[in-house]
Amino acid sequence: VQTCALPIWNVGVSYQYGKNGMIGASGATSLLDFPDPAQAPGLNNFVSGGGSGFFSRRLTGAQYLGGSFNYSEDITHPVDSTTKTQTISLFYTIHLSRTLSASASGGPQHYDSTSSNVATSSAWTPAVTASLGWQMKHASLAGRYNRTVTGGGGLLGTFRSNSAALEAEWQFARSWSAHGTGSYYLTTNVTPIQFSSNPGGHTLLGMFSLDHPIGEYLSTELGYARLNESYNGIAAVSSTPGSDRLFFSVSYQLTRPLGR
């Protein structure tokens, strides 16, 4: 299936207003497009956008407390459906040692789901995120769990997502590092009355890459990714549930602080 997935814009800003306090805001929009709809039966073009704001306060040298608000809107077409979510979360981070840290966040999330076929449905639901990180001088390991409600990313309806991810990195030479990730997503449709919507399914993704910087701003990446999906009733997925991809990328990054 030919797809075009890209961020349209992504911007963020943060400000440290004191020795132990920081605030910030960000916004982003992304697009998922299927140039030939005949190759993607059961899927729709998808546009997602939103913004968020946060504050963070250091309680002690090893503990941080803060909060955030997030708004997002996900739209599918040519079959019209819209999912809007507003999430208020509190988060807490603690450094258990010089190399080990843990973080947890949670709060109420409200969603509104509309479709061209049925009336609006809305509800409150909890949103939860937990993570654990271990970092040494040349290696790191991180795990993450997330529970949230979002749009279907091309599927009609509004979905509850439970996901878990594991990420590892190892710098085995001065300018070479290996990076591996594995993630699992389980989605369930929270608007099953929409007769054209999908009940949900699962996605398993694994990726391995080698990173090599060239100079101060230029870097290269060579990698392999394996994707496996299972979504009942989506012909585009059922015909090819698994895919393999080799990729090579070159990136240039230039950063500059604002102010002094």
Side-chain angles (χ1 to χ4, degrees):
V1 178
Q2 294 183 354
T3 62
C4 176
L6 71 160
I8 299 175
W9 59 267
N10 190 335
V11 63
V13 62
S14 61
Y15 173 68
Q16 186 170 348
Y17 61 86
K19 181 180 178 180
N20 299 313
M22 179 176 289
I23 59 175
S26 63
T29 301
S30 61
L31 168 70
L32 177 64
D33 183 70
F34 299 94
D36 185 0
Q39 293 185 355
L43 298 175
N44 285 266
N45 298 330
F46 177 78
V47 177
S48 177
S52 64
F54 77 92
F55 76 91
S56 176
R57 181 78 180 177
R58 183 168 66 177
L59 303 178
T60 67
Q63 298 181 79
Y64 297 82
L65 182 68
S68 65
F69 173 79
N70 179 275
Y71 172 81
S72 68
E73 184 171 346
D74 305 324
I75 302 172
T76 64
H77 62 91
V79 180
D80 296 327
S81 70
T82 302
T83 298
K84 298 179 181 179
T85 62
Q86 303 90 35
T87 309
I88 301 174
S89 296
L90 293 177
F91 64 84
Y92 173 74
T93 300
I94 181 171
H95 293 271
L96 302 170
S97 68
R98 295 183 61 184
T99 59
L100 186 64
S101 64
S103 180
S105 67
Q109 182 180 46
H110 184 265
Y111 68 85
D112 292 283
S113 179
T114 63
S115 171
S116 58
N117 299 318
V118 296
T120 301
S121 62
S122 63
W124 288 93
T125 184
V128 178
T129 299
S131 62
L132 187 67
W134 174 79
Q135 187 168 5
M136 299 291 287
K137 184 177 181 180
H138 297 294
S140 64
L141 182 67
R144 179 185 177 93
Y145 167 78
N146 179 260
R147 181 190 189 277
T148 189
V149 169
T150 184
L155 300 176
L156 296 180
T158 300
F159 292 80
R160 178 180 297 111
S161 171
N162 286 273
S163 64
L166 186 66
E167 181 175 358
E169 188 170 0
W170 175 42
Q171 183 182 355
F172 58 89
R174 185 179 65 86
S175 60
W176 287 91
S177 61
H179 181 225
T181 61
S183 56
Y184 178 77
Y185 300 86
L186 178 64
T187 59
T188 305
N189 199 325
V190 298
T191 54
I193 61 172
Q194 298 181 6
F195 59 82
S196 61
S197 61
N198 184 271
H202 69 261
T203 298
L204 182 64
L205 174 65
M207 186 181 71
F208 175 80
S209 66
L210 293 174
D211 305 307
H212 178 57
I214 303 174
E216 185 177 0
Y217 304 113
L218 193 66
S219 62
T220 61
E221 182 181 18
L222 173 66
Y224 164 77
R226 169 68 181 179
L227 174 68
N228 186 273
E229 298 177 292
S230 176
Y231 291 88
N232 294 329
I234 303 299
V237 176
S238 301
S239 60
T240 54
S243 65
D244 300 274
R245 183 170 69 97
L246 288 172
F247 61 90
F248 176 76
S249 66
V250 178
S251 59
Y252 179 84
Q253 182 175 4
L254 177 62
T255 61
R256 181 178 180 181
L258 298 175
R260 302 180 63 182

